[in-house]
């Protein structure tokens, strides 16, 4: 009776890179196959390259990937300074200038609920400014709050 050979070979190690038959050395990045290259940018295609050379190419790719991730992170932080409320207000200003009155009213009610978490009955419908709130009105709003906004 023959033994099953499913799975990785004994003694095999996940090194972060692998050889793909006929196409060269690759690294796996979240399911995408990224070809590895030498210091001049030439792809590593030969199967019998020294492991040190492939490791160096993999390390170079990891460093470049980390730099790209940090640059993306900085760009995301710069973009993250715009709040949802500001986006909604800009959208409503555009709808008001280009759309029908009823369309603006309906969308303003929906976005008011999204941004503040309270029903649209508390929205100032005359000039799109917050209502002057008394203690009684604040208690009503707190009782009818749907979510934190």
């Amino acid at each position: 009776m023959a033994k099953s050979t499913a799975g990785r070979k004994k003694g095999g190690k996940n090194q972060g890179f692998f050889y793909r038959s006929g196409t060269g050395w690759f690294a796996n990045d979240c399911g995408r196959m990224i070809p590895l290259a030498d210091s001049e940018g030439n792809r590593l295609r030969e199967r019998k390259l020294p492991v040190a050379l492939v490791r160096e190419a993999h390390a170079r790719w990891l460093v470049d990937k980390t730099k790209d991730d940090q640059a993306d992170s900085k760009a995301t932080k710069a973009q993250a300074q715009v709040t949802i409320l500001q986006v909604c207000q800009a959208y409503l200003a555009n709808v008001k200038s280009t759309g029908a009155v009823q369309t603006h009213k309906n969308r303003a009610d929906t976005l008011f609920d999204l941004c503040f978490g309270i029903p649209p009955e508390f929205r100032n419908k005359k000039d799109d400014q917050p209502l002057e709130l008394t203690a009684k009105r604040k208690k009503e709003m707190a009782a009818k709050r749907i979510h934190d906004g």
Side-chain angles (χ1 to χ4, degrees):
M1 187 173 208
K3 287 187 176 183
S4 172
T5 58
R8 198 172 355 157
K9 294 178 186 176
K10 284 195 176 219
K13 296 176 184 170
N14 182 1
Q15 300 174 345
F17 52 88
F18 61 95
Y19 184 78
R20 188 168 173 209
S21 183
T23 55
W25 290 95
F26 287 83
N28 187 3
D29 183 25
C30 299
R32 295 184 337 201
M33 294 188 301
I34 310 296
L36 296 177
D38 61 10
S39 58
E40 286 106 35
N42 301 320
R43 287 185 51 187
L44 302 177
R45 295 183 185 268
E46 299 171 24
R47 173 126 177 109
K48 296 191 178 193
L49 283 174
V51 176
L53 185 65
V54 180
R55 276 194 187 128
E56 181 183 317
H58 183 251
R60 190 178 312 106
W61 172 74
L62 285 174
V63 168
D64 290 344
K65 181 181 176 229
T66 304
K67 286 179 184 175
D68 291 344
D69 289 348
Q70 289 173 352
D72 290 345
S73 174
K74 287 179 184 175
T76 303
K77 285 179 184 175
Q79 292 171 351
Q81 294 175 355
V82 177
T83 65
I84 292 176
L85 178 61
Q86 292 169 329
V87 171
C88 291
Q89 287 172 337
Y91 173 72
L92 287 173
N94 182 33
V95 169
K96 190 172 192 174
S97 66
T98 60
V101 174
Q102 188 62 34
T103 302
H104 176 266
K105 178 189 171 295
N106 291 339
R107 292 182 182 172
D109 287 346
T110 303
L111 293 174
F112 180 80
D113 173 25
L114 172 80
C115 292
F116 298 105
I118 51 179
E121 67 193 60
F122 294 102
R123 182 175 71 85
N124 186 357
K125 301 198 173 35
K126 293 181 183 171
D127 56 2
D128 294 329
Q129 296 297 321
L131 292 171
E132 295 296 323
L133 298 176
T134 61
K136 181 181 175 187
R137 190 77 167 163
K138 285 182 182 180
K139 283 183 181 179
E140 275 183 58
M141 290 170 84
K144 291 188 176 184
R145 182 170 289 279
I146 302 165
H147 55 84
D148 291 338

